[in-house]
DNA sequence: GCCAACGTTGGC
DNA sequence: GCCAACGTTGGC
């Protein structure tokens, strides 16, 4: 499956992920987002989106460890996954661009701006890769 | 169980 | 800096 995860680049950016080589995607404190984390499987691809000033999809990451208790809290109900960076988009795909393409009008990123983890349809994934000037085939 | 008050997130 | 959207908390 395909997903999109948001991050505030001032807190943890795509470049931080590349620097670290892998990271635990933790800190999700919303039930809807948690339920999506729970469904992630090893090998699933994720778009990493920068909120705040960038407001753009920066790159593609991959799940390497399925959901486990979030180490940043003692509450057992919160979950995290572990991810590695796969590929940076040649051109980040901005929120503005997505809004300009009517086929993304139902995209949760646009409809539900505060949701931090959301599913992405395969066809949406493909189109966003093309907008980002990268070849989608190796990720499908 | 309802709702007002409050806090947080994220776009503009 | 402001505000809309949404989630949470607490009084009743």
């Amino acid at each position: 499956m395909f997903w999109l995860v948001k991050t505030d680049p001032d807190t943890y950016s795509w470049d931080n992920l590349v620097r670290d080589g892998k990271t635990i995607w933790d800190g999700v404190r919303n039930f809807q987002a948690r339920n999506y984390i729970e469904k992630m499987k090893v090998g699933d691809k994720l778009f990493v989106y920068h909120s705040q000033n960038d407001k753009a999809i920066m790159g593609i990451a991959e799940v390497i460890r399925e959901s486990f208790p979030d180490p940043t809290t003692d509450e057992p109900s919160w979950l995290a996954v572990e991810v590695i960076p796969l590929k940076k988009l040649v051109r980040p795909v901005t929120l503005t661009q997505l809004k300009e393409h009517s086929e993304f009008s139902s995209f949760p990123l646009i409809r539900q701006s505060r949701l931090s983890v959301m599913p992405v349809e395969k066809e949406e994934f493909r189109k966003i890769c093309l907008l980002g000037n990268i070849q989608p085939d190796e990720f499908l």
Side-chain angles (χ1 to χ4, degrees):
Chain A
M1 287 188 70
F2 304 95
W3 309 92
L4 183 146
V5 294
K6 284 189 194 173
T7 185
D8 175 355
D10 293 334
T11 306
Y12 196 85
S13 68
W14 169 263
D15 288 342
N16 292 146
L17 176 58
V18 171
R19 176 200 64 197
D20 295 345
K22 64 178 179 179
T23 198
I24 293 174
W25 206 269
D26 54 26
V28 172
R29 295 292 183 273
N30 169 286
F31 285 106
Q32 198 178 354
R34 191 280 313 267
N35 292 343
Y36 289 136
I37 293 265
E38 194 171 23
K39 288 181 181 164
M40 290 181 182
K41 301 290 182 196
V42 170
D44 282 2
K45 308 297 186 285
L46 309 89
F47 282 130
V48 175
Y49 173 86
H50 280 183
S51 63
Q52 301 293 113
N53 294 327
D54 295 347
K55 278 171 284 187
I57 297 169
M58 305 304 292
I60 300 170
E62 183 177 70
V63 177
I64 59 164
R65 185 179 168 199
E66 288 178 22
S67 66
F68 54 93
D70 186 332
T72 63
T73 176
D74 290 333
E75 294 178 50
S77 57
W78 300 120
L79 300 173
V81 289
E82 191 165 14
V83 307
I84 55 169
L86 281 190
K87 191 166 196 132
K88 187 174 186 174
L89 300 188
V90 174
R91 294 185 59 215
V93 176
T94 65
L95 183 62
T96 307
Q97 273 179 285
L98 294 176
K99 285 181 172 174
E100 284 168 356
H101 291 259
S102 59
E103 63 262 40
F104 294 113
S105 58
S106 64
F107 205 35
L109 187 70
I110 293 165
R111 291 187 64 190
Q112 211 179 337
S113 67
R114 290 188 51 189
L115 187 62
S116 60
V117 180
M118 64 196 75
V120 176
E121 296 296 323
K122 187 175 185 176
E123 193 55 23
E124 292 173 336
F125 183 90
R126 204 179 66 78
K127 285 177 183 168
I128 290 170
C129 286
L130 294 175
L131 286 173
N133 280 2
I134 65 165
Q135 242 304 320
D137 292 349
E138 63 178 294
F139 306 109
L140 298 176

